[in-house]
Amino acid sequence: MTKVLFLPGSGASPDFWKPAGALLPADWPKEYFGWPGLGRQLHDPAVKGIDDLIAMVVAKMEAPVDLVAQSMGGVIAARIALAHPHLVRRLVLTVTSGGIDMAAFGASDWRVDYRKYFPNAAEWIYEPRTAAPLPVERITAPTLLIWGDSDPISPVAVGEHLETRIAGARLHVVAGGDHDVAQTHPKEVAALIAQHLTA
């Protein structure tokens, strides 16, 4: 059975995906990641940026896995799928940027609220992204895109754009879903994930 790795966004809690994950078959091996130094997670001096988070995930990928990711976690998942295509069987990206420029899609800036809610988060999370946009069209893993229709941080237009660029990707829009759609609509999201991972 393929292991499912759940990657949260910058809120960083390993609990983020558990409401949806608990609705998936109990015999599926699952691992829920948290991000040291982000959200309310304890800091780790060894974690200095997103590259270190990617390394954390890849270290747990001894065999092909399924990646289920939200927001910033989706950037991590996309980068792993591009760098290690042989280790990613299937991919689920929810309300993420996928490593593309969000400004063109009318996305709101999340940083002000993030600093208010998570005042102790590592400063590197606020640094402007300087890397080139990800070549997501090179992703080969079958990809499911899940978006909420009420998300100002990652508008549906972003999901539509990724659907056109990732070969064979399928977008599902959840009515009433915001940036935390996986937590507010766990039954719908879990059903979509289950269908995709068993297709």
Side-chain angles (χ1 to χ4, degrees), residues 145-166:
L145 306 167
I146 302 175
W147 254 251
D149 66 359
S150 302
D151 184 355
I153 295 174
S154 183
V156 170
V158 177
E160 293 170 343
H161 176 76
L162 291 174
E163 185 180 31
T164 66
R165 289 185 58 193
I166 301 173

Side-chain angles (χ1 to χ4, degrees), residues 69-71 74 92-100 102 105 143-163 166 170-182 185 188-189 192:
Q70 185 254 358
S71 196
V92 178
L93 302 177
T94 67
V95 298
T96 184
S97 72
I100 65 172
M102 299 290 279
F105 297 93
T143 302
L144 170 66
L145 306 167
I146 302 175
W147 254 251
D149 66 359
S150 302
D151 184 355
I153 295 174
S154 183
V156 170
V158 177
E160 293 170 343
H161 176 76
L162 291 174
E163 185 180 31
I166 301 173
R170 182 172 57 89
L171 172 65
H172 184 91
V173 179
V174 177
D178 203 327
H179 205 57
D180 57 355
V181 62
H185 297 70
E188 185 172 351
V189 169
L192 291 165

